Amino acid sequence: MEILIKDCLIGGAEKSILVSDGKISEVGKPKTTDYVINAKGMAALPGLVNTHTHLAMTMFRGMADDLPLSDWLNKHIWPAEGKYLGGEFCRTGSLLGCLEMIKSGTTCFADQYFFMDSTAEAVRESGLRAYLAQAVLDFKTPQYEAGDALKVAGRFLRNNPPDEMIKPMVGPHAPYTCCEETLIASKELAQKHAAMLHIHISETKSEAEQIKKEKGKRPVEYLDSIGFLGGNVLAAHCVYLNEHEIQLMKKNNTTISHNPTSNMKLASGVAPVAQMLAAGIPVTLGTDGCASNNNLDMFGEMRQAALLHKVAALDPTAVSARQALQMATTNAYKSLGLNLGLEVGRDADIILVDLKKPHLRPVHNIESHLVYSASGADVDTVIVAGKILMERRQVKTLNEEEILEKAEEIKP
Ligand SMILES: [Zn+2]
């Protein structure tokens, strides 16, 4: 199928984009074709990528807020997970998450959670791209008994061989919930399947101190010493990294997912993002789960990233709008190996942002508007792999009304 996106703004110039068989085949003034989207007054950009989510946690959105981390986890999140998590619950939560991502311009995401087969089903239905990690923890979880995690993760990899839309990952939860043996076995499992790993590292100060006490090394030093780190590792949070650990992440070519809203909401701390960028690490951006954000809007996340580091360093030049946008786009493409961009030959994951709104006029600088003034609700149209998932805010692949009703019906 061919789609012509007519008269959209790319950078500051009005151009048209021709999409043929899932790829961008022409940019400029292509001939017209059967299906035309009039994009006058809209900014075109390649899809946003959310590199750290726990998608089915959309079901816990707004259930417990403004609490200390230990109370939040022990008294609310873990008991709710124990009581409610299951295939159907996670499928509904994942559909809700996919719907929210489509409606806010995210075209690809990296997840780590339980019942990942259900999330994979939802992703297929939605038409999004995803990197999906079955969570691996040493103790009993709502999905499996203690000691069974790697068996479940192995089954997920076998059931979901990588294809154009879904790449399975292995998700050792964190160095404080997985012992050394589990971390190494996870790494070997990932290597066997040519998959990436998705882990949390140094989210809180107490975690960094605990690892230091137990292993005699800081978390990143410990993970480096056991050979865990590498170019196939996606590490979320990375709040408590010192200069040596930043250099180790760089040396190992490990991908970092910065999660500013979650770090602020749970009062975890401020990740040294300016130092990571200065070290040449292509930092990416993620929302984390909906219980600690509380949404999946990458426009909001870009704004938080740009603002947090300014106030933390008392430096208004820290993390520019351009850098925040790069985190949500090109840095993620590079880190995850996505062939995206508004150029001929790239995969056609394209979003149109409607600039014909009071809060987006006048248009001096589109990057500035995208980061400092737009929200996911300004996304008009979403195309992934050449398929229209949303046009004029009507989602075509999912039944919006049905998903919203189901989520309300089975909520905790
Ligand atoms: Zn997380």
Side-chain angles (χ1 to χ4, degrees), residues 237-314:
H237 298 298
C238 299
V239 175
Y240 290 91
L241 264 55
N242 65 18
E243 194 52 46
H244 180 231
E245 289 177 294
I246 291 172
Q247 291 307 325
L248 285 176
M249 294 297 262
K250 169 72 182 159
K251 187 189 89 184
N252 283 288
N253 200 20
T254 296
T255 297
I256 292 175
S257 176
H258 175 42
N259 313 133
T261 307
S262 174
N263 296 159
M264 283 192 267
K265 187 160 187 275
L266 296 173
S268 302
V270 182
V273 168
Q275 291 91 317
M276 291 168 181
L277 291 171
I281 296 173
V283 179
T284 69
L285 204 53
T287 56
D288 207 357
C290 271
S292 62
N293 188 296
N294 291 352
N295 62 48
L296 301 167
D297 186 346
M298 286 296 286
F299 287 87
E301 213 59 33
M302 288 193 285
R303 181 158 57 248
Q304 303 281 40
L307 297 182
L308 172 61
H309 300 287
K310 288 173 173 55
V311 72
L314 296 179

Side-chain angles (χ1 to χ4, degrees), residues 149-160:
L150 283 159
K151 225 163 40 192
V152 174
R155 197 167 58 217
F156 176 70
L157 287 162
R158 286 193 303 279
N159 288 349
N160 297 276

Side-chain angles (χ1 to χ4, degrees), residues 52 54 200 203 236-237 259 288-289:
H52 184 61
H54 308 286
H200 298 89
E203 179 175 358
H237 298 298
N259 313 133
D288 207 357

Side-chain angles (χ1 to χ4, degrees), residues 321-387:
R322 172 162 294 185
Q323 285 176 314
L325 190 59
Q326 284 168 344
M327 287 186 203
T329 54
T330 48
N331 288 3
Y333 306 161
K334 189 176 166 195
S335 301
L336 296 177
L338 293 160
N339 179 31
L340 302 183
L342 297 184
E343 294 132 25
V344 172
R346 301 285 192 185
D347 290 331
D349 295 10
I350 301 166
I351 67 173
L352 297 175
V353 180
D354 189 358
L355 301 175
K356 303 185 295 297
K357 307 263 182 90
H359 62 287
L360 299 174
R361 285 294 160 111
V363 182
H364 291 294
N365 174 340
I366 292 175
E367 281 176 0
S368 164
H369 277 5
L370 293 174
V371 174
Y372 292 123
S373 198
S375 80
D378 298 317
V379 176
D380 178 90
T381 294
V382 173
I383 295 171
V384 176
K387 184 176 174 184

